[in-house]
Amino acid sequence: MAQDQFFPSIGQVVEKADGVAGEPSTTEPDAQEDKPLEEVESLCMRCGEQGMTRMLLTSIPYFKEVIVMSFRCEHCGAANNEIQSAGIVREHGVTYTLKVLHGGDLNRQIIRSEACTIEIPEFELQLPPMRGQLTTVEGLLRDIVADLSADQPLRRIQDEAAYNKIEEIIDGLKEVIDEDEDEDAESKITAQKLKEDPVKRVLTIKLDDPSGNSFLEFVGSMADPRWSLKTYTRTIPQARALGLVPPDDEAKVPDGVAEKNEAEGEVSDGRDEEIYEFAGVCSRCGRPLVTRMKKVSIPYFKDTLIMSTNCENCGYRDNEVKSGAAISEKGKKITLKVIDQEDLGRDILKSETSGLIIPEIDLVLQPGTLGGRFTTLEGILDQIYDELSEKVFTTGDSSTIGNEDRDKFQKFLGDLKAIKQVEREFTVILDDPLANSHVQNLYAPDPDPNMTIETYERTWEQNEELGINDMRVECYSGDDPNEER
């Protein structure tokens, strides 16, 4: 109750403002308390006179409590607006991603904290952290256009190459917001009709905030197919930049981690702890790189090899999972019934020969899709969603697809996001002819009531596709020409 009293919603603030709008102004304390805004005299840094700072304490649905501040000096006209978080420090950082596909997406609200970095990949544009801001997607794009356009005349004389590159970004952003020089009443009515029409250029906006105090509005519910939210654990440098970790603790954290690893190493026999390194060549830039491999033993399953490749020159990364055991005699089909959030935390090993099916949303992944993955069920659903949302209907010739097909795909993404939140029960089927896939049994060693495992004989076609028909595993002596017969 106390929190709602100090941080009312926007609707309550508007009702309170309407109630005191018609009343004559007074300096009585009781009348000042009825005002929805707090007013404080402040020094203007431009002219040195006294200006007025107005503060609004409010709460934003599905987000947190914030303080909106506005300063204005009546003497010189200086003005400034800022927003600050008034809630507790979030435990994790956040990353918001929005696909701007329709005109209505430009009206989404954005809360940007002073630690937030904004990225627009299509233009290779990154905005560093700055003061807090409360705006919309369209307002953000217009601010970017205004900031980039400010020094263009001078830049055209000093550095024409930079001028041309920045001008391309400005023209592209203007194309997204459909900026016209003349806008009359008729064009405003037309703009309302264009909210559901696709934008001329698809755009992606990413907000990365290690403090967790930024927000990007979704439409309807968190199952919005054009909107996604991810949380992550802050690194030590990020926590130090936010003032959450003192500088003196810099050396203490690695020491504690090292001691923990040593303690864990005393218990392990060390056979599976060794990491192997192999020299190779990057497939993207052709420079030398290192591939690391580690053996992992999965309980109630088999040994698995996890390989990771990272190129320090171009940033190329690749991860892959391989079986470390012999080829199984039979194939395996795993059917899992997902009924709650706990099932999303199951470990899942999807080999490169396994297909994945979710019948409820008609999702079928052929063997080889996504390669080998060792993650959780939630993790593999996130990977599927990211791959589809980033690469389908938004790049190349697919960006010119018809509205009907685009709407169908958006509905499919909405259904995929709904099952990611387990808003309804669904079924996950892994069909692996080599039986190298695995789903964690939460009831091990007892049978899992929500999971069924079937084994089957591989067909000749499956063996042929896997190259098993041509394998010779016996009678090697017949290959030696010097062998006596």
Side-chain angles (χ1 to χ4, degrees):
M1 295 295 294
Q3 193 78 351
D4 296 339
Q5 178 182 357
F6 290 108
F7 295 92
S9 63
I10 294 292
Q12 294 174 344
V13 173
V14 173
E15 292 178 358
K16 189 175 182 179
D18 291 341
V20 299
E23 299 179 3
S25 60
T26 178
T27 58
E28 295 181 2
D30 294 340
Q32 292 290 335
E33 291 181 358
D34 292 337
K35 290 185 177 181
L37 298 176
E38 297 288 340
E39 297 183 349
V40 180
E41 288 189 355
S42 305
L43 178 66
C44 177
M45 303 304 295
R46 177 183 294 180
C47 66
E49 299 291 339
Q50 290 293 323
M52 184 66 65
T53 297
R54 295 175 174 83
M55 295 183 293
L56 171 63
L57 280 65
T58 184
S59 61
I60 298 177
Y62 305 103
F63 184 50
K64 62 192 305 183
E65 297 80 19
V66 296
I67 301 176
V68 182
M69 295 179 289
S70 175
F71 172 80
R72 180 171 178 79
C73 177
E74 298 295 339
H75 300 87
C76 64
N80 185 21
N81 300 300
E82 190 173 351
I83 184 170
Q84 291 186 359
S85 171
I88 61 176
V89 177
R90 297 295 180 92
E91 295 183 0
H92 299 90
V94 295
T95 301
Y96 291 92
T97 304
L98 173 66
K99 287 287 185 181
V100 181
L101 301 179
H102 299 85
D105 294 329
L106 298 174
N107 296 328
R108 295 182 187 238
Q109 191 178 62
I110 291 180
I111 298 177
R112 179 187 185 185
S113 76
E114 60 275 6
C116 178
T117 300
I118 298 179
E119 182 181 0
I120 303 179
E122 286 80 1
F123 296 105
E124 298 181 358
L125 181 65
Q126 187 178 70
L127 307 182
M130 54 178 292
R131 63 181 177 84
Q133 186 181 17
L134 174 62
T135 181
T136 62
V137 173
E138 182 177 0
L140 174 67
L141 298 180
R142 290 185 181 276
D143 289 344
I144 296 174
V145 171
D147 292 341
L148 293 178
S149 302
D151 296 330
Q152 278 296 83
L154 180 61
R155 194 177 290 116
R156 185 174 186 178
I157 300 174
Q158 296 179 343
D159 191 346
E160 188 174 356
Y163 166 82
N164 294 330
K165 292 182 179 179
I166 295 177
E167 195 66 23
E168 291 179 4
I169 297 177
I170 294 175
D171 294 340
L173 293 177
K174 287 183 177 180
E175 186 179 0
V176 174
I177 59 180
D178 198 13
E179 188 177 61
D180 295 326
E181 296 181 358
D182 298 326
E183 187 179 72
D184 51 13
E186 183 178 355
S187 63
K188 292 182 179 180
I189 298 176
T190 306
Q192 295 294 330
K193 297 179 181 179
L194 296 178
K195 284 186 176 181
E196 295 302 323
D197 290 347
V199 294
K200 296 180 180 179
R201 187 166 183 173
V202 176
L203 198 68
T204 305
I205 296 180
K206 295 183 179 180
L207 274 65
D208 186 0
D209 188 355
S211 70
N213 291 331
S214 295
F215 177 74
L216 181 57
E217 183 184 5
F218 54 82
V219 175
S221 67
M222 296 183 70
D224 184 357
R226 297 189 289 272
W227 176 94
S228 66
L229 165 64
K230 292 182 180 180
T231 60
Y232 61 90
T233 302
R234 285 186 287 266
T235 62
I236 296 298
Q238 288 176 333
R240 187 175 295 110
L242 295 172
L244 302 177
V245 176
D248 296 339
D249 290 350
E250 182 175 2
K252 297 180 181 179
V253 176
D255 291 344
V257 175
E259 292 175 0
K260 181 179 178 182
N261 292 339
E262 291 176 1
E264 293 176 353
E266 292 175 358
V267 181
S268 174
D269 58 6
R271 288 179 298 178
D272 293 341
E273 299 300 324
E274 187 173 0
I275 298 177
Y276 299 91
E277 295 185 351
F278 305 93
V281 178
C282 178
S283 59
R284 178 177 294 178
C285 67
R287 296 185 179 182
L289 52 72
V290 175
T291 297
R292 295 174 174 86
M293 182 180 70
K294 187 178 187 300
K295 180 181 177 182
V296 177
S297 181
I298 301 177
Y300 306 101
F301 187 50
K302 60 175 71 172
D303 292 338
T304 303
L305 300 177
I306 299 180
M307 293 179 289
S308 175
T309 302
N310 184 15
C311 180
E312 297 181 355
N313 296 287
C314 67
Y316 171 76
R317 292 184 179 183
D318 182 49
N319 300 291
E320 198 168 356
V321 178
K322 298 282 189 180
S323 173
I327 297 177
S328 302
E329 296 182 358
K330 296 182 178 181
K332 182 167 64 173
K333 181 179 180 181
I334 304 174
T335 304
L336 174 66
K337 188 70 175 180
V338 181
I339 59 177
D340 54 27
Q341 290 283 346
E342 185 179 4
D343 290 324
L344 294 180
R346 293 175 183 255
D347 290 333
I348 180 171
L349 171 62
K350 177 195 171 295
S351 74
E352 58 185 1
T353 59
S354 172
L356 188 145
I357 302 174
I358 302 180
E360 287 78 3
I361 60 173
D362 296 329
L363 173 65
V364 178
L365 297 184
Q366 299 296 332
T369 307
L370 297 179
R373 288 291 183 271
F374 182 36
T375 177
T376 61
L377 179 57
E378 181 179 12
I380 201 166
L381 291 177
D382 286 338
Q383 291 175 6
I384 295 172
Y385 181 86
D386 292 342
E387 288 288 331
L388 293 177
S389 61
E390 291 179 2
K391 297 182 179 179
V392 181
F393 289 174
T394 57
T395 58
D397 295 338
S398 60
S399 59
T400 60
I401 204 72
N403 292 338
E404 183 178 355
D405 293 335
R406 185 187 295 270
D407 293 339
K408 289 181 180 178
F409 182 70
Q410 290 299 322
K411 181 180 181 302
F412 170 77
L413 286 181
D415 294 338
L416 178 57
K417 198 161 191 178
I419 68 172
K420 282 175 52 182
Q421 305 293 333
V422 198
E423 296 182 2
R424 56 176 176 175
E425 297 182 359
F426 63 96
T427 306
V428 177
I429 301 174
L430 289 177
D431 191 350
D432 190 348
L434 290 182
N436 288 332
S437 297
H438 172 73
V439 177
Q440 181 185 9
N441 181 357
L442 299 180
Y443 299 85
D446 298 327
D448 193 327
N450 297 327
M451 183 169 61
T452 60
I453 301 177
E454 307 173 25
T455 58
Y456 59 88
E457 295 287 345
R458 286 188 293 266
T459 64
W460 187 91
E461 288 77 9
Q462 287 176 324
N463 287 332
E464 182 69 16
E465 184 177 355
L466 296 170
I468 299 178
N469 291 336
D470 298 329
M471 290 184 181
R472 294 190 59 183
V473 294
E474 57 184 9
C475 299
Y476 286 107
S477 59
D479 294 335
D480 188 358
N482 298 324
E483 183 80 8
E484 294 183 2
R485 303 196 178 197

